[in-house]
C-alpha cells in the first residue's frame, strides 16, 4: 500500500462562520478538510478560482468616465 504525502493547511476564521459552514458541510456529508481539499483541487485543475467573485451592488466602485 502506497503512503500518500500530505501538507498541513492552516487558516484563521471567525468561529461563527466556521460553525455555520461546518453545519452545512455535515448535512452534505463532508468535513471541513474535504471542502478545502475540493476547493484547492478545483483551483489546480482549472488554473483559476472556481467561483465568480463580485462585490455586492452597494459596495461597488463608481464607474469611471
Amino acid at each position: 500500500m502506497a503512503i500518500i504525502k500530505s501538507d498541513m493547511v492552516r487558516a484563521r476564521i471567525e468561529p461563527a462562520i466556521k460553525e455555520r459552514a461546518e453545519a452545512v458541510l455535515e448535512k452534505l456529508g463532508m468535513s471541513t478538510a474535504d471542502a478545502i481539499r475540493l476547493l484547492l483541487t478545483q483551483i489546480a485543475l482549472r488554473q483559476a478560482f472556481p467561483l465568480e467573485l463580485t462585490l455586492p451592488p452597494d459596495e461597488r466602485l463608481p464607474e469611471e468616465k
Side-chain angles (χ1 to χ4, degrees):
M1 175 171 33
I3 296 176
I4 299 172
K5 293 183 180 181
S6 62
D7 280 338
M8 180 73 67
V9 175
R10 298 180 80 180
R12 293 191 183 274
I13 186 85
E14 293 176 33
I17 293 172
K18 180 178 178 272
E19 288 172 16
R20 290 179 64 199
E22 287 176 334
V24 173
L25 291 169
E26 184 178 343
K27 288 185 178 216
L28 294 170
M30 296 177 70
S31 68
T32 303
D34 292 335
I36 293 168
R37 191 176 305 106
L38 179 61
L39 174 65
L40 294 179
T41 299
Q42 287 301 306
I43 291 170
L45 289 171
R46 297 172 187 222
Q47 297 187 31
F49 201 79
L51 304 171
E52 182 179 347
L53 301 175
T54 59
L55 291 172
D58 61 331
E59 293 187 27
R60 292 189 181 153
L61 301 175
E63 295 287 329
E64 288 194 32
K65 297 179 182 179

